[in-house]
Amino acid sequence: MSMNDSQVKQSIIDEDKPETSQRSELVHLDPWQKLKEYTDSRIALGRVGCSIPTKPLLKFQLDHAEAKDAVLQDLDTERLVNDLSTQCHLTFKDMDTEAAAADSEKSDEPSLEQSNKVWELFKVMSQAENKSDYLKRPDWGKLLNTESSDKLEHFLEQSGTDKSYDVIMVMGDGLSARALEENGPKLVAELIPLFKEQGWSIAPLVIATGSRVALGDKIAERLNAKMLIMLIGERPGLSSPDSLGIYYTWDAHVDSHDAMRNCISNVRAAGLPIKMAANRLLALMKKSCELKLSGVDLKDEQELPTLDQSQPAIKLL
């Protein structure tokens, strides 16, 4: 759906003209109408005869189009890196080419652990190199392509195979590149200071396209990182095309499975707030370090504040 079509349809939906008496008589309101102030769920739509009114129908079509666009949208890596630099107040050293890797040998520029100003960055791709393959072959999204594997191997040769890290963050487009672009930089900016306070070493940042959750396992194992944080766009709902998921795995490796991961879902402006998600993840990671595990054996004991249900929900979409 084009931008113009979306804007036109939204203007129709948001039109706030008084209804004529004839139209008011046609539309039968639902007894649950008052509850709509507290939720984005499709309840109390009303009816006109045996159908729903025009406004809820257009809103459904718009939400469906936004969800579809979120799945098909390609990740804008340049925008993502720029936003990360701004939000995190860091300079990223792109390690994509052999020349950049070779320059890093000669450079006297300090690492993130030393200066907190420079952070190495890798852009990798799964074997699903286009949206069609990604949707048809989920298994390809779990495997690095040859170029990306070689890139990480080359980095290890340069830095030493005995090099290891406490934490690695992998940012994947998943099923909603929009979710990663809008929420990823803010979440990373919240997490970095928390990790520094714990004294944890942080691996180079990895941006992965065509990615499924399991792709992070291969990257974490390759870079010798103990704790894996996979930030990935979740499957869009009809009111949440911007929902980001956090998957945490202790000692991730090629044979890791879903029962070994912890998931924090619905991270977005209209869902779980960024700061709350960061603190919840940190609590999980600290407990994980004590128990040396993650997944079904690691319980999320973080207490969330009780929401004030006396006020209507804020509609941010």
Side-chain angles (χ1 to χ4, degrees), residues 70 172-173 175-180 182-183 231-237 239-246 264-272 317:
D173 49 1
L175 286 165
S176 176
R178 170 182 169 180
L180 185 68
E182 293 184 6
N183 303 297
L231 309 179
I232 192 166
E234 296 182 316
R235 180 182 292 105
S239 61
S240 56
D242 58 342
S243 181
L244 184 71
I246 307 172
I264 300 174
S265 185
N266 196 33
V267 180
R268 60 191 184 103
L272 182 65
L317 286 181

Side-chain angles (χ1 to χ4, degrees), residues 296-307:
V296 295
D297 294 321
L298 179 62
K299 304 304 179 185
D300 185 355
E301 299 174 347
Q302 178 81 353
E303 293 187 7
L304 299 179
T306 303
L307 296 178

Side-chain angles (χ1 to χ4, degrees), residues 73-75 124-131 133-135 137-145 171-175 177 207-213 215 230 232:
Q73 174 185 331
D74 290 324
L75 180 65
V124 301
M125 181 179 288
S126 74
Q127 292 182 10
E129 299 185 2
N130 57 64
K131 285 293 181 180
D133 288 344
Y134 178 78
L135 296 173
R137 294 295 303 266
D139 55 320
W140 288 358
K142 302 175 183 179
L143 303 170
L144 288 168
N145 65 10
M171 307 181 72
D173 49 1
L175 286 165
I207 297 175
T209 53
S211 58
R212 300 283 176 174
V213 173
L215 187 70
M230 184 75 180
I232 192 166

Side-chain angles (χ1 to χ4, degrees), residues 192-209:
I192 291 175
L194 297 179
F195 296 162
K196 288 180 184 176
E197 289 176 7
Q198 300 299 317
W200 292 336
S201 59
I202 308 173
L205 183 67
V206 179
I207 297 175
T209 53

Side-chain angles (χ1 to χ4, degrees), residues 236-261:
L238 287 179
S239 61
S240 56
D242 58 342
S243 181
L244 184 71
I246 307 172
Y247 289 84
Y248 169 72
T249 311
W250 171 267
D251 195 19
H253 50 80
V254 173
D255 296 324
S256 293
H257 50 78
D258 289 343
M260 300 170 65
R261 316 184 208 283

Side-chain angles (χ1 to χ4, degrees), residues 4-50:
N4 288 337
D5 291 341
S6 177
Q7 291 172 344
V8 169
K9 188 171 286 188
Q10 186 64 60
S11 67
I12 295 172
I13 295 170
D14 293 339
E15 191 178 36
D16 193 21
K17 295 178 180 178
E19 295 187 1
T20 64
S21 58
Q22 182 181 7
R23 183 179 173 188
S24 298
E25 292 173 2
L26 290 174
V27 177
H28 299 270
L29 298 179
D30 191 284
W32 286 10
Q33 186 73 21
K34 187 66 177 175
L35 295 178
K36 288 175 67 67
E37 298 178 7
Y38 299 90
T39 178
D40 287 328
S41 301
R42 296 177 197 281
I43 63 171
L45 299 180
R47 64 179 176 83
V48 179
C50 61

